[in-house]
């Protein structure tokens, strides 16, 4: 059975972007592949963020995974920092990665832009991500389009290692959803919707109150044309709402355009708010059950044991290939 893996950072309550780009994909494919889903807490410390409570956010993220439909019987769920082999392998991979390649990563350029002091961890983030993936021989990685470049560098690093030391790693492939691959900020639809965004009005969080979600969608930036038509360049706000609606209803972009061809933006936005609120309300009810229950501790205990065993075996194989003293 092919293996699939993804992880999200516990940097805040996850957004509609994280949900559509990563979690919905994991739920969709969990019957088809052996699945690994983790909390990427080592990645969460690459940028300074003194406001985040890693422990609390980690538990909350796991509760959200489960509430969104991630089945713990079909997925191995774990916390990255509870498995030291990721970071150990990352060092070895760093010694097989070029400075130039890392300098070209969009996320690094965006997150370091205008800052004098950014960490070396922000720069080497993609190597740790490569380690997260290839240490489990994952075949597929569901990600939003914003992370595609990171899966590509993971492939390059794995191919390079295999050539140098002999076949060791499976070469992973990204899984990117057909619609809604990059959900944009509702206020500034030229910018991706992000957990760490400063303007809360542009971001829908999975635990936002239904009324807040409605308000945010109704106030989303659009254009003056009053035509529900997909055109990312000239109508980024409406195109973003079409992507969201499409992803929640399973309708194609042209079906959405046809459905709302005679509607004004108010009617369309209300329809978007209805489908989002209806799905997120169900998730919130389940979230409250999981966050107050005891299931999470047992799930993480099992996930930790299993993934440490897998990761250790791969790490030992890598050390043997390189010729380290045993
Ligand atoms: N706006 C988005 N649209 C589609 N997919 C998205 N993802 C993130 N934002 C969008 C996908 O979510 C997964 C996990 O992301 P992450 O938590 O590891 O970090 P990120 O990509 O940096 O997400 P954020 O929300 O922007 O977090 P912060 O603000 O902390 O940096 C990935 O699969 C990503 O593609």
């Amino acid at each position: 059975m092919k293996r699939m893996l993804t992880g999200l950072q516990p940097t805040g309550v996850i957004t509609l972007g994280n949900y559509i780009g990563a979690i919905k994909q994991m739920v969709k494919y969990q019957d088809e592949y052996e699945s690994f889903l983790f909390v990427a807490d080592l990645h969460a410390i690459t940028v300074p963020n003194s406001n985040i409570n890693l422990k609390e956010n980690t538990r909350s993220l796991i509760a959200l995974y489960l509430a969104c439909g991630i089945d713990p019987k079909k997925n191995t769920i774990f916390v990255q920092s509870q498995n030291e082999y990721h970071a150990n392998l990352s060092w070895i991979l760093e010694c097989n990665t070029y400075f130039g390649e890392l300098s070209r990563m969009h996320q690094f350029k965006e997150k370091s832009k205008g800052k004098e002091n950014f960490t070396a961890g922000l720069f080497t983030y993609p190597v740790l991500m490569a380690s997260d993936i290839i240490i489990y021989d994952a075949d597929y990685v569901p990600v939003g389009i914003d992370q595609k470049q990171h899966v590509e560098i993971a492939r390059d690093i794995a191919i390079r290692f295999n050539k140098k030391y002999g076949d060791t790693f499976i070469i992973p492939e990204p899984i990117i959803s057909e619609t809604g691959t990059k959900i944009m900020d509702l206020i500034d639809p030229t910018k991706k919707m992000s957990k760490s965004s400063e303007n809360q009005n542009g971001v829908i969080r999975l635990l936002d109150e239904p009324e807040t979600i409605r308000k945010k969608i109704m106030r989303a930036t659009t254009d003056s044309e009053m035509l529900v038509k997909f055109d990312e360049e000239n109508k980024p706000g409406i195109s973003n709402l079409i992507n969201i609606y499409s992803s929640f209803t399973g309708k194609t972009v042209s079906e959405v355009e046809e459905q709302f061809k005679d509607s004004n933006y108010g009617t369309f936005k209300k329809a978007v708010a209805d489908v989002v609120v209806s799905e997120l309300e169900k998730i919130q009810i389940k979230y409250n059950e999981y966050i107050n229950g005891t299931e999470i501790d047992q799930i993480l205990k099992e996930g930790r044991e299993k993934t440490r065993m897998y990761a250790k075996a791969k790490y030992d194989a890598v050390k043997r290939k390189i010729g380290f003293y045993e």
Side-chain angles (χ1 to χ4, degrees):
M1 197 180 205
K2 296 270 189 190
R3 199 173 280 174
M4 159 176 87
L5 168 141
T6 206
L8 280 88
Q9 299 179 68
T11 37
V13 177
I14 54 174
T15 71
L16 214 56
N18 305 133
Y19 178 57
I20 292 172
I23 298 187
K24 258 177 167 304
Q25 304 300 311
M26 285 299 281
V27 174
K28 182 170 163 194
Y29 293 110
Q30 65 184 343
D31 291 320
E32 228 167 293
Y33 305 124
E34 184 189 3
S35 305
F36 288 70
L37 180 57
F38 66 101
V39 174
D41 55 351
L42 294 177
H43 288 278
I45 60 165
T46 51
V47 285
N49 195 340
S50 49
N51 297 328
I52 61 170
N53 181 333
L54 283 173
K55 257 188 206 162
E56 213 174 271
N57 286 6
T58 296
R59 204 179 150 79
S60 168
L61 186 50
I62 302 282
L64 267 175
Y65 285 163
L66 300 171
C68 289
I70 294 291
D71 182 343
K73 292 195 186 73
K74 295 176 190 160
N75 289 267
T76 302
I77 302 173
F78 66 104
V79 178
Q80 186 188 28
S81 65
Q82 291 197 320
N83 190 334
E84 67 269 23
Y85 298 105
H86 289 230
N88 289 358
L89 177 63
S90 184
W91 171 253
I92 291 176
L93 298 182
E94 271 182 41
C95 299
N96 289 278
T97 306
Y98 298 112
F99 188 87
E101 298 180 283
L102 292 176
S103 310
R104 287 191 288 275
M105 293 294 112
H106 306 309
Q107 180 171 287
F108 170 69
K109 285 191 202 160
E110 271 165 38
K111 292 197 171 177
S112 60
K113 201 160 123 193
K115 297 202 176 83
E116 265 178 38
N117 281 323
F118 43 82
T119 66
L122 181 66
F123 187 67
T124 56
Y125 176 117
V127 188
L128 179 60
M129 181 164 158
S131 172
D132 298 334
I133 300 167
I134 66 180
I135 202 165
Y136 297 108
D137 278 333
D139 300 278
Y140 300 114
V141 189
V143 280
I145 196 93
D146 58 307
Q147 290 279 355
K148 184 167 174 258
Q149 198 189 26
H150 286 167
V151 181
E152 278 160 6
I153 198 175
R155 289 172 58 85
D156 293 342
I157 295 170
I159 291 169
R160 186 173 304 136
F161 190 97
N162 285 354
K163 271 202 188 132
K164 195 166 165 190
Y165 296 107
D167 265 356
T168 310
F169 298 113
I170 297 273
I171 312 303
E173 278 177 43
I175 297 185
I176 302 202
S177 71
E178 289 144 31
T179 55
T181 47
K182 190 169 180 184
I183 299 304
M184 309 306 279
D185 188 277
L186 296 178
I187 298 297
D188 177 1
T190 58
K191 207 178 87 186
K192 105 168 171 156
M193 187 182 283
S194 246
K195 280 187 233 93
S196 53
S197 176
E198 276 160 26
N199 189 347
Q200 293 295 310
N201 293 328
V203 180
I204 295 183
R205 294 170 193 283
L206 262 55
L207 298 177
D208 277 350
E209 294 285 335
E211 246 345 276
T212 310
I213 298 173
R214 280 188 192 283
K215 270 193 202 142
K216 287 181 180 176
I217 294 177
M218 295 311 288
R219 286 182 194 157
T221 303
T222 47
D223 52 79
S224 54
E225 200 185 14
M226 278 296 162
L227 182 65
V228 180
K229 190 171 176 305
F230 193 84
D231 176 352
E232 273 177 329
E233 207 181 317
N234 301 306
K235 295 162 75 68
I238 280 295
S239 304
N240 190 35
L241 292 175
I242 293 178
N243 270 337
I244 294 172
Y245 189 79
S246 159
S247 154
F248 274 77
T249 56
K251 291 185 180 169
T252 63
V253 167
S254 27
E255 283 166 349
V256 181
E257 286 175 334
E258 176 60 25
Q259 183 181 346
F260 294 99
K261 68 177 189 302
D262 299 320
S263 306
N264 61 31
Y265 285 172
T267 310
F268 175 54
K269 282 176 166 178
K270 188 176 171 307
V272 177
D274 284 345
V275 291
V276 173
V277 165
S278 153
E279 192 161 323
L280 296 196
E281 266 182 335
K282 288 180 209 138
I283 290 176
Q284 292 177 5
I285 293 170
K286 289 197 192 134
Y287 171 84
N288 287 328
E289 288 166 17
Y290 285 117
I291 200 74
N292 296 316
T294 53
E295 210 176 333
I296 292 177
D297 300 321
Q298 186 55 29
I299 289 171
L300 288 185
K301 185 173 175 285
E302 283 166 22
R304 179 180 176 199
E305 280 163 13
K306 180 171 165 187
T307 55
R308 280 172 64 91
M309 200 177 72
Y310 277 44
K312 181 179 187 309
K314 181 58 89 178
Y315 182 64
D316 286 348
V318 165
K319 286 206 310 190
R320 277 196 298 276
K321 292 265 173 149
I322 297 177
F324 283 121
Y325 188 81
E326 282 185 86

